[in-house]
Amino acid sequence: MTTNTNVRLRNVPEAFKRIKSHGTLTKLKDGTPSPAGGHVQGICASGGCYVLTNSQEDNHKEGYLQVFHKNDDAPEDVQKHIRTVSTDVSDRGHAGGCQEIGSYMVVGIETVDPFENGGVWLYSLANLKEQGPRKLRNLVKGSKGCGGAGITEFHHDGKTHWLLAAMDNGDLDFYVSNGKPLEDSGCEFSKSFAARLHDRDDSSTTVNLITDVEGHIYLVAFVYRDPEDHLVLYKVDREARSITRLEDRHMFTEHGDLPSNAGVHFRWGAGINIRDDKTFDVLATQKRFITEHSLFAINRFKGS
């Protein structure tokens, strides 16, 4: 059965505090080798699978999405590749940060060098082990870059709406849907307000959004301040059209034994995985798939 919402958390700040500071290792195998200049940009989890977004360095080549098995009962096992599919966005090679919402996923995609002309695209994650992800449509598109995207739902005037965050180098544009179901082709987004991450957080490559049981909305930013990784929590106020910085946590990434900063960091693929109404996990990846058979490292920062 397809869904278009995520679980609402009872207490987002408390769940944020309970996330373990050190990640556990998961290894992926048989992924598509990253092209020169290209690398992993986003990660989400859905339907017993990991989905990773991957960029190209050439706008004449489409970015792509890789799907892997995800077995939380045996995290020490190597998780194998299922398929690689194109983003199906022909004029923008830089597939960026993403977020899953139910049976769907949003991805920020922009042009390469310069990183501009970005937007957010919606993909179906239904039946991932058999097919997809499958592009559905463009949700927002503009003249500025979009290196990552987050999404959540909220209720207003008796209707369900979706809030979309498109991020470009710390600048955030928030868009609100028109009250039609997310999967409906008539679901359109209009810009609500703009905000900016704190100066210490503007290196964040993507953001994810969470709604709690009271309807409050939070934003998680994945920040790499060389050589440290930080997870930063904000509260989003739609009425005041603003965001408030709440907490900054130093997280300790490990593994992915690659030179310089190419191991596991929030600089590369990063995202959340909401497990239940009290808990969410955080994911981070290394930079690149080296060869077809080399192992690829993920850190899972488990909520408790």
Side-chain angles (χ1 to χ4, degrees), residues 21-203:
S21 298
H22 291 265
T24 57
L25 174 65
T26 294
K27 297 178 181 178
L28 307 184
K29 186 179 180 182
D30 299 335
T32 301
S34 300
H39 53 83
V40 175
Q41 291 279 191
I43 182 171
C44 71
S46 178
C49 298
Y50 291 111
V51 181
L52 280 68
T53 67
N54 300 254
S55 67
Q56 300 269 14
E57 64 171 359
D58 186 345
N59 288 319
H60 298 294
K61 298 177 181 178
E62 299 172 351
Y64 55 96
L65 312 170
Q66 298 199 64
V67 183
F68 291 82
H69 290 285
K70 176 180 181 290
N71 185 354
D72 288 339
D73 294 329
E76 69 281 359
D77 290 351
V78 174
Q79 309 296 305
K80 291 192 174 182
H81 180 260
I82 297 175
R83 76 180 61 82
T84 296
V85 300
S86 167
T87 60
D88 196 24
V89 179
S90 60
D91 54 349
R92 290 166 173 78
H94 197 260
C98 60
Q99 185 174 3
E100 165 265 350
I101 184 159
S103 304
Y104 301 91
M105 172 179 71
V106 292
V107 183
I109 306 177
E110 61 190 356
T111 56
V112 180
D113 196 21
F115 297 109
E116 56 185 17
N117 294 323
V120 181
W121 274 259
L122 180 70
Y123 290 81
S124 170
L125 299 178
N127 302 316
L128 266 184
K129 291 182 179 178
E130 287 76 39
Q131 63 182 2
R134 178 172 56 90
K135 187 187 81 171
L136 297 178
R137 66 185 185 279
N138 178 221
L139 298 182
V140 299
K141 194 172 179 179
S143 58
K144 65 190 299 185
C146 182
I151 190 169
T152 193
E153 55 84 24
F154 65 95
H155 298 307
H156 177 67
D157 291 340
K159 291 184 178 181
T160 299
H161 297 262
W162 280 265
L163 181 69
L164 185 66
M167 197 187 75
D168 177 40
N169 294 322
D171 288 328
L172 295 162
D173 288 328
F174 289 91
Y175 298 83
V176 174
S177 70
N178 59 1
K180 294 188 176 181
L182 182 64
E183 62 275 22
D184 191 320
S185 60
C187 178
E188 297 179 348
F189 286 78
S190 57
K191 187 171 178 179
S192 177
F193 67 99
R196 181 165 177 80
L197 297 177
H198 188 279
D199 289 347
R200 287 179 55 77
D201 307 331
D202 62 9
S203 62

Side-chain angles (χ1 to χ4, degrees), residues 244-289:
T244 302
R245 193 173 191 261
L246 299 180
E247 187 169 353
D248 179 337
R249 291 191 55 192
H250 182 194
M251 310 297 281
F252 298 89
T253 53
E254 301 174 284
H255 313 297
D257 300 323
L258 299 176
S260 186
N261 66 347
V264 176
H265 286 293
F266 288 154
R267 168 67 182 86
W268 316 120
I272 65 171
N273 180 27
I274 301 174
R275 291 196 286 121
D276 53 45
D277 64 358
K278 297 179 181 178
T279 312
F280 69 96
D281 298 340
V282 170
L283 303 170
T285 79
Q286 69 180 57
K287 181 178 182 179
R288 306 178 67 244
F289 286 85

